[in-house]
């Protein structure tokens, strides 16, 4: 489902990713961990083309990204199959919760307004926010906003979901409710890549863990092996 | 003492009761300040083609002769022709500029004895359908005939009073603007003083005089009502210039048929003084016209502003997200339109486009001019608005599979529009007031109507108050709207609905 081979990327003459290769099979959850600045968020953003890279190749959900700028239209096709959730939620503040979820199905997939809304309400139900369908993002708590953002990404029925530190901007109680939703998705067999600092969460949700350090893969393996080897699991 | 004089001057200006310089002061100063408009001012007053820094014209020489008679030097004061009388008592002692002797002027100013006899001449294209004055009595192939005149001139009031003619009379601020417009086909005909056309005839070879002049009258020198000694001195001086032949030889030098002029001046007709209107009559006669012109102001604003916003938004998006080759073009568009005066742009659209075969009606030209000019400002506002939308919004849209244009349309632009609502509303108020510039291209909106009515009725203060109130009635709701938007944006949370 996901293959990254020999990915290399420099930014302002500094190498941020160095010869990174990894695999993510269908139905598995891969956690990307590592200290700040290790390149894990950049790697994630290369997977859906929000960042370009200098060498190597990415294959994801049947789409192939080469180094440099992409062919016209490729990224739009790819992103229909690859959803993303951001640290800062990035909900559209001028739209209600259900409109946030229904926008892409309506605009990109061409669903009718009522079908798109129905799909939006279903997904809000799934993340426990059906009663807040008509609320503007500014009136929701951070945890609620992030759950709406997850519903928004799921609305395209993506084959792969990318999470960029989805709980870092939340206090522990809210983080827990968002983690619950992600763990639930993992159980349902959604293929996911999750960038996180929270090793407890990584161990619970991920089947494989890849640890990055200074743009290189430091370690990788089964979640339990990597995270317990040096006692990080208790962090 | 100075501030007291200043206050007096302001009061004097407000009440049009001029604190003018009478003869003693003119003599003490050693200068007679005379006002005229040198724009398209031949043969009266115009820049000498050989040395444009120097003014020439038969009235320049007349002013010199009059000053000499008073024992002082002449000094020229420039002004917009139809507003020259307003300079009396403030910037000028007298107005010498082809001012026709009319009942209204006799009522409002002190008018000298006639110094020149003019005739009104109808002018049209040689190849055009207007070949007799009588042609104007029946509608033309495109409906009513369009006839240009100088705003505030006798030609205008004579043509407007001829209800027997099928003509729309269009007023221009410059003497020869109407000749340009007849030449380029925008107008069917023009009416002006014969001496003006005779002077410029060589420049407009496509035009011809239609029949003999059909009306006429006399030029007078205006002075303020409260400078009787100056008025009397000017009258006496004109008398001496006529008696000893100096005026005749002046006119002969300018090819203005000196002998005929002297005969006309000798037989100068009596003109009755107009009665001042009561306030009731004033309201009855001017309010409907002012309201109609306020309607034009609203029409111009409401047509031009949405266009300006649409174009401005497109330009902003094009500059930020368009193809590389387009960006410098759009930047140039914005800088040219922001960097040149609105007045000049309106002139270009109205007077220059017809020369390449694109003649637009005045209202259309005004709307387009205002829209283009304001689109430059709106595009800068929208550019700032788009920049204020966080990058995360764009990335979130793209990550959902939206194209760049879909992201702009559904996510970025709607947010930018909300962000810039207060400055955009404030620009709408600015445009609303800028519509007054359109009078330069013959559109009669509220300010122009005020100016015309104030001069023809002599009720400058009363009408100014009414006009200002009309503007306030229209802009106040806009200001309220603008403040409402601002309050709404300050409390974004209050605008959501709790589920």
């Amino acid at each position: 489902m996901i293959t990254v081979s020999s990915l290399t990327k420099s930014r302002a003459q500094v190498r941020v990713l160095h010869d990174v290769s990894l695999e993510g099979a269908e139905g598995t959850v891969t956690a990307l961990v590592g200290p700040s600045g290790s390149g894990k968020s950049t790697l994630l953003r290369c997977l859906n083309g929000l960042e370009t890279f200098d060498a190597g190749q990415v294959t994801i959900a049947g789409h192939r990204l080469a180094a440099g700028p992409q062919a016209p239209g490729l990224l739009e096709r790819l992103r229909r199959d690859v959803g993303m959730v951001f640290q800062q939620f990035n909900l559209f503040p001028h739209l209600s919760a259900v409109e946030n979820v229904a926008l892409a199905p309506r605009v990109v997939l061409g669903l009718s307004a009522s079908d798109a809304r129905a799909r939006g309400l279903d997904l809000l139900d799934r993340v426990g926010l059906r009663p807040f369908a008509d609320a503007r993002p500014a009136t929701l708590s951070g945890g609620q906003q992030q759950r709406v953002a997850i519903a928004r990404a799921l609305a395209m029925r993506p084959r792969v979901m990318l999470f960029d530190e989805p709980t870092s901007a939340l206090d522990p109680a809210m983080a827990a409710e968002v983690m619950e939703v992600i763990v639930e998705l993992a159980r349902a067999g959604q293929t996911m890549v999750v960038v996180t600092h929270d090793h407890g969460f990584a161990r619970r949700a991920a089947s494989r863990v890849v640890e990055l350090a200074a743009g290189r893969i430091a370690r990788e393996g089964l979640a339990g092996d990597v995270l317990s080897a040096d006692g990080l699991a208790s962090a | 003492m100075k501030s007291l004089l200043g206050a007096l001057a302001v009061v004097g200006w407000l009440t049009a009761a001029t604190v003018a310089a009478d003869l003693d002061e003119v003599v003490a100063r050693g200068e007679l300040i005379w006002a005229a408009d040198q724009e398209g001012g031949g043969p009266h007053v115009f820049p000498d083609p050989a040395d444009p820094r120097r003014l020439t014209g038969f009235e320049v020489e007349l002013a010199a002769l009059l000053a000499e008679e008073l024992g002082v030097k002449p000094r020229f004061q420039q002004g917009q022709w139809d507003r020259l009388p307003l300079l009396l008592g403030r910037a000028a002692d007298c107005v010498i500029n082809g001012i026709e002797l009319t009942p209204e002027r006799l009522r409002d100013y002190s008018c000298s004895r006639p110094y020149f006899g003019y005739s009104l001449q109808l002018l049209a294209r040689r190849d055009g359908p207007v070949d007799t004055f009588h042609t104007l009595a029946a509608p033309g192939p495109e409906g009513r005939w369009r006839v240009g005149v100088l705003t505030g001139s006798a030609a205008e009031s004579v043509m407007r009073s001829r209800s027997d003619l099928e003509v729309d009379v269009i007023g221009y601020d410059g003497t020869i603007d109407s000749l340009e417009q007849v030449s380029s086909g925008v107008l069917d005909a023009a009416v002006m003083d014969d001496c003006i056309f005779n002077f410029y005839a060589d420049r407009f070879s496509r035009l011809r005089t239609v029949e003999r002049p059909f009306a006429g009258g006399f030029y007078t020198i205006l002075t303020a009502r409260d400078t009787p000694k100056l008025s009397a001195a000017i009258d006496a001086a004109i008398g001496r210039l006529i008696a000893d032949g100096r005026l005749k030889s002046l006119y002969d030098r300018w090819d203005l048929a000196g002998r005929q002029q002297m005969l006309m001046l000798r037989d100068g007709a009596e003109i009755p003084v107009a009665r001042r209107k009561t306030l009731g009559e004033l309201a009855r006669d001017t309010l409907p016209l002012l309201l109609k012109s306020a309607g034009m102001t609203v029409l111009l604003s409401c047509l031009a502003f949405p266009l300006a916003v649409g174009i401005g938004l497109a330009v902003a998006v094009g500059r930020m997200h368009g193809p590389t080759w387009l960006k410098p073009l759009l930047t140039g568009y914005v800088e040219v339109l922001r960097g040149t005066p609105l007045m000049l742009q309106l002139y270009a659209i109205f007077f220059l486009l017809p020369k390449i075969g694109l003649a637009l009606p005045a209202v259309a030209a005004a709307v387009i001019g205002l829209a283009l000019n304001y689109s430059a400002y709106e595009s800068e506002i929208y550019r700032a608005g788009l920049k204020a939308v966080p990058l995360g919004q764009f990335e979130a849209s793209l990550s959902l599979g939206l194209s760049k244009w879909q992201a702009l349309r559904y996510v970025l632009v709607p947010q930018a529009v909300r962000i810039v609502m207060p400055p955009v509303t404030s620009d709408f108020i600015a445009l609303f007031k800028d519509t007054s510039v359109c009078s330069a291209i013959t559109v009669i909106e509220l300010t122009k109507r005020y100016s015309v009515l104030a001069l023809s009725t002599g009720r400058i203060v009363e009408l100014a108050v009414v006009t200002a109130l009309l503007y306030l009635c229209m802009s106040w709701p806009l200001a309220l709207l603008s403040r409402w938007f601002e309050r709404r944006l300050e409390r974004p949370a209050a605008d959501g609905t709790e589920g």
Side-chain angles (χ1 to χ4, degrees):
Chain A
M1 182 63 61
I2 304 166
T3 309
V4 176
S5 39
S6 305
L7 194 81
T8 299
K9 177 178 175 66
S10 300
R11 198 183 281 139
Q13 258 106 57
V14 178
R15 188 152 281 190
V16 287
L17 289 175
H18 191 93
D19 197 22
V20 173
S21 299
L22 60 84
E23 297 265 342
E26 180 152 15
T28 63
V29 178
T30 308
L32 294 179
V33 299
S36 296
S38 59
K40 53 193 191 305
S41 278
T42 304
L43 174 58
L44 190 78
R45 290 161 60 85
C46 285
L47 298 185
N48 73 342
L50 283 181
E51 303 262 2
T52 58
F53 46 89
D54 305 322
Q57 184 176 299
V58 171
T59 309
I60 185 165
H63 304 276
R64 204 165 74 176
L65 295 178
Q70 304 303 332
L74 170 62
L75 289 178
E76 279 134 51
R77 289 195 300 276
L78 178 149
R79 287 165 182 157
R80 289 182 200 190
D81 296 330
V82 181
M84 187 163 191
V85 174
F86 299 85
Q87 182 179 356
Q88 297 297 338
F89 333 135
N90 294 347
L91 288 182
F92 306 136
H94 61 299
L95 301 179
S96 69
V98 66
E99 285 166 345
N100 263 277
V101 181
L103 179 71
R106 190 164 61 80
V107 171
V108 179
L109 302 180
L111 261 62
S112 72
S114 55
D115 288 352
R117 187 180 164 85
R119 186 184 280 199
L121 291 174
D122 273 355
L123 285 161
L124 287 178
D125 205 23
R126 193 161 155 197
V127 298
L129 289 175
R130 174 75 188 247
F132 296 90
D134 292 315
R136 292 287 170 107
T139 65
L140 300 176
S141 74
Q144 290 170 327
Q145 289 193 51
Q146 192 61 299
R147 278 145 68 195
V148 173
I150 292 170
R152 179 174 72 174
L154 288 173
M156 293 297 285
R157 301 194 173 145
R159 299 175 63 192
V160 179
M161 282 281 279
L162 309 177
F163 291 85
D164 190 2
E165 305 201 23
T167 59
S168 301
L170 301 172
D171 67 38
M174 290 181 186
E177 68 189 39
V178 170
M179 280 180 217
E180 220 37 63
V181 171
I182 297 173
V183 168
E184 200 54 48
L185 280 176
R187 282 204 194 110
Q190 174 77 51
T191 311
M192 298 193 277
V193 181
V194 184
V195 169
T196 183
H197 282 295
D198 185 335
H199 292 172
F201 169 47
R203 247 178 5 149
R204 258 188 84 199
S207 32
R208 283 175 57 78
V209 171
V210 175
E211 187 185 352
L212 285 172
R216 294 168 190 270
I217 291 184
R219 275 183 300 178
E220 62 179 311
L222 293 176
D225 298 345
V226 173
L227 294 173
S228 58
D230 51 5
L232 274 174
S234 59
Chain B
M1 190 62 203
K2 255 187 182 168
S3 59
L4 182 65
L5 279 179
L8 273 179
V10 169
V11 170
W13 176 74
L14 279 174
T15 58
T18 47
V19 191
D22 206 349
L23 184 61
D24 324 327
E25 276 177 70
V26 172
V27 171
R29 192 199 300 141
E31 276 182 337
L32 175 70
I33 304 173
W34 63 288
D37 188 353
Q38 58 180 310
E39 183 193 345
H44 305 75
V45 179
F46 58 102
D48 188 345
D51 176 9
R53 283 168 304 177
R54 216 178 64 87
L55 283 181
T56 185
F58 77 87
E59 286 174 340
V60 176
E61 294 185 19
L62 175 61
L65 287 175
L66 287 173
E68 193 185 318
E69 287 297 302
L70 302 185
V72 297
K73 290 193 182 323
R75 198 174 90 199
F76 170 77
Q77 169 64 50
Q78 167 66 30
Q80 164 75 30
W81 190 78
D82 59 350
R83 271 160 252 174
L84 287 173
L86 299 182
L87 298 178
L88 287 175
R90 288 191 290 144
D93 302 314
C94 60
V95 177
I96 312 178
N97 201 199
I99 304 290
E100 304 96 336
L101 196 52
T102 60
E104 291 76 22
R105 289 191 177 120
L106 278 167
R107 177 193 64 206
D108 296 332
Y109 310 101
S110 172
C111 298
S112 76
R113 61 182 290 175
Y115 66 89
F116 186 87
Y118 70 91
S119 307
L120 291 182
Q121 177 68 57
L122 178 66
L123 303 151
R125 267 188 316 284
R126 285 182 193 287
D127 55 1
V130 180
D131 51 0
T132 64
F133 193 85
H134 189 67
T135 313
L136 302 180
E142 292 162 41
R144 290 166 74 82
W145 301 100
R146 298 163 55 80
V147 178
V149 294
L150 174 63
T151 300
S153 69
E156 181 177 31
S157 49
V158 166
M159 289 310 285
R160 288 202 194 282
S161 68
R162 291 290 293 259
S163 51
D164 56 322
L165 300 178
E166 291 288 328
V167 294
D168 285 330
V169 181
I170 297 151
Y172 289 80
D173 281 350
T175 338
I176 56 172
D177 290 347
S178 58
L179 295 180
E180 294 276 2
Q181 297 281 87
V182 178
S183 202
S184 60
V186 177
L187 295 175
D188 298 305
V191 173
M192 65 178 59
D193 301 0
D194 54 352
C195 58
I196 299 173
F197 179 70
N198 291 348
F199 185 80
Y200 287 107
D202 299 335
R203 207 192 282 181
F204 298 96
S205 55
R206 299 180 61 192
L207 305 187
R208 60 158 179 203
T209 56
V210 179
E211 301 190 80
R212 306 285 301 159
F214 60 94
F218 294 98
Y219 291 163
T220 180
I221 295 173
L222 298 184
T223 43
R225 301 215 71 141
D226 55 357
T227 56
K229 283 188 272 183
L230 179 63
S231 311
I234 287 176
D235 264 352
I238 293 173
R240 289 196 293 278
L241 294 178
I242 292 174
D244 63 14
R246 275 181 291 171
L247 196 58
K248 175 177 179 299
S249 55
L250 193 169
Y251 290 152
D252 282 335
R253 268 204 310 286
W254 283 91
D255 251 344
L256 292 168
R259 166 125 184 101
Q260 258 176 296
Q261 282 294 333
M262 292 309 114
L263 291 175
M264 278 196 283
L265 293 178
R266 192 186 66 183
D267 300 333
E270 275 292 308
I271 294 181
V273 179
R275 193 175 55 83
R276 200 171 158 82
K277 286 179 173 164
T278 66
L279 280 179
E281 287 170 329
L282 187 73
R284 188 194 63 204
D285 294 348
T286 61
L287 268 184
L289 284 170
L290 284 173
L291 282 172
K292 191 176 150 208
S293 306
M296 175 59 82
T297 293
V298 170
L299 180 79
L300 289 176
S301 319
C302 292
L303 287 179
F305 200 66
L307 269 175
V309 165
I311 299 170
L313 187 54
V315 169
V317 169
R319 280 181 79 181
M320 293 179 74
H321 299 281
T324 319
W325 57 266
L326 186 64
K327 292 178 184 176
L329 292 181
L330 292 177
T331 307
Y333 172 89
V334 170
E335 294 311 332
V336 166
L337 285 172
R338 276 204 310 181
T340 55
L342 172 59
M343 169 87 96
L344 205 65
Q345 292 161 15
L346 289 171
Y347 260 89
I349 292 169
F350 192 59
F351 290 106
L352 300 186
L353 284 189
K355 288 191 193 299
I356 57 166
L358 194 63
L360 290 168
V363 174
V367 167
I368 291 172
L370 286 168
L372 291 181
N373 184 266
Y374 269 80
S375 72
Y377 295 96
E378 298 323 296
S379 83
E380 287 299 281
I381 292 179
Y382 278 107
R383 212 156 65 94
L386 283 168
K387 277 188 177 163
V389 178
L391 181 64
Q393 291 289 312
F394 193 39
E395 291 190 340
S397 314
L398 293 182
S399 76
L400 286 166
L402 273 68
S403 69
K404 185 164 83 174
W405 299 110
Q406 287 170 332
L408 278 165
R409 169 156 177 223
Y410 294 102
V411 178
L412 303 185
V413 169
Q415 291 185 53
V417 166
R418 283 167 170 77
I419 291 170
V420 301
M421 204 53 97
V424 166
T425 319
S426 139
D427 259 15
F428 186 34
I429 300 175
L431 173 131
F432 169 74
K433 289 178 296 178
D434 263 359
T435 51
S436 63
V437 179
C438 298
S439 67
I441 58 167
T442 79
V443 174
I444 300 185
E445 42 58 64
L446 189 50
T447 300
K448 184 65 177 179
R449 179 69 73 187
Y450 160 70
S451 161
V452 169
L453 288 176
L455 289 166
S456 66
T457 61
R459 299 283 201 160
I460 296 173
V461 181
E462 294 87 338
L463 291 177
V465 171
V466 174
T467 305
L469 283 176
L470 280 175
Y471 269 115
L472 264 181
C473 288
M474 295 188 283
S475 64
W476 186 247
L478 289 177
L480 289 181
L481 189 70
S482 160
R483 233 167 288 157
W484 180 74
F485 275 129
E486 268 170 67
R487 274 201 308 272
R488 212 176 109 112
L489 284 169
E490 276 163 18
R491 296 179 287 124
D495 125 80
T497 43
E498 291 290 348

